[in-house]
Amino acid sequence: MALKPSPLRLVPRGRAATGRSSAPKRLWAVELVPGRVRTALLSMTAGLRALTGAGVRVEHLARLQVLGDRWFGDGRGRSTFASVSTGEVRGVETLYDGEVMAPPGGRSGARMTVSASGDRCTCGNLGCWKTLATTGRLRARAGAAGLGADTSLDELVNRGDAPAARVVEEYAQNLALGLVNVQQLSAPGLFILHGEAREGGERFGTVVEERLRAAVAFAGAEEPRVLVGTAAVDDVELLGAAGLVLPHR
């Protein structure tokens, strides 16, 4: 049966933009006045709605990322998996049985405790995942090994020497520490790595996967797998944001 051309025309219905705020769903407004600076903590949604005249919804980046993976990425067709941010920031969000695990006040896991000691985190605690498995830690370890404090993961992976390989291995192991906790609690089975992990390639993902499988018992659960995403993380987040608002348009 031949389909008739539809008279309907698709039109854009919204715009997604990534950003970060240390105060969830709040926006710092700064007004420069001669002789003084005035600041106010405003509702982000109300402030942006007043500015744009359009409907506004604010959501955590990690939650948008897992939704982007679910609808457009390597999580398509799955009801349970975890999406992981790597690089300057660290975080993980889980889709469990078709629902994003996002309780009020929940965070992305960057400050979960994975060590009883170590560097002090910006939150004031010791042993946070954030202090062991972000770019800052990688560069510090590379500098201590005489490889340069500004060296990237890509450069370390491609050096091909033993000192660089040890730094990369440690970084992957530290990343896996937090994911072990997630696997133990909710057994997502599939972990999709975004961001800096792309520079490490397949070998980096394999090290994380091997550490996961060695640290957790998965009898009765799916054996954990790690995939290194190929899409730019901002693209995944923006796609997740678009998918988030479509049912509410």
Side-chain angles (χ1 to χ4, degrees), residues 12-18 48 52 54-57 237-239 241-242 245-246:
R13 293 300 301 266
R15 184 177 298 274
T18 59
L48 292 175
T52 64
V56 176
R57 179 165 179 174
E237 292 165 352
L238 292 173
L239 287 169
V245 300
L246 283 175

Side-chain angles (χ1 to χ4, degrees), residues 187 217-223:
F218 43 84
E222 178 184 355
E223 184 177 40

Side-chain angles (χ1 to χ4, degrees), residues 20-60:
R20 289 179 174 82
S21 171
S22 58
K25 300 193 178 182
R26 295 292 184 269
L27 179 68
W28 280 105
V30 181
E31 182 181 356
L32 300 179
V33 183
R36 62 186 175 137
V37 176
R38 184 167 59 191
T39 62
L41 190 59
L42 307 175
S43 164
M44 187 176 293
T45 51
L48 292 175
R49 190 179 296 117
L51 180 66
T52 64
V56 176
R57 179 165 179 174
V58 177
E59 187 53 271
H60 198 290

Side-chain angles (χ1 to χ4, degrees), residues 35-157:
R36 62 186 175 137
V37 176
R38 184 167 59 191
T39 62
L41 190 59
L42 307 175
S43 164
M44 187 176 293
T45 51
L48 292 175
R49 190 179 296 117
L51 180 66
T52 64
V56 176
R57 179 165 179 174
V58 177
E59 187 53 271
H60 198 290
L61 280 175
R63 295 170 187 166
L64 297 181
Q65 183 176 291
V66 76
L67 291 174
D69 277 331
R70 177 191 188 186
W71 289 319
F72 306 102
D74 292 313
R76 282 179 297 179
R78 292 184 60 94
S79 61
T80 301
F81 69 91
S83 185
V84 186
S85 299
T86 66
E88 297 286 353
V89 295
R90 166 72 56 249
V92 57
E93 188 59 80
T94 302
L95 183 79
Y96 185 81
D97 198 22
E99 298 290 335
V100 178
M101 297 177 66
R107 295 294 183 266
S108 63
R111 293 187 173 90
M112 75 170 79
T113 301
V114 295
S115 173
S117 60
D119 297 333
R120 191 167 297 280
C121 181
T122 53
C123 70
N125 294 324
L126 296 175
C128 291
W129 192 28
K130 174 182 175 181
T131 66
L132 294 173
T134 52
T135 303
R137 171 75 175 196
L138 175 71
R139 289 173 178 165
R141 298 298 293 163
L147 303 172
D150 294 326
T151 304
S152 68
L153 179 59
D154 178 58
E155 291 168 335
L156 289 170
V157 168

Side-chain angles (χ1 to χ4, degrees), residues 231-242:
V233 66
D234 279 355
D235 291 346
V236 176
E237 292 165 352
L238 292 173
L239 287 169

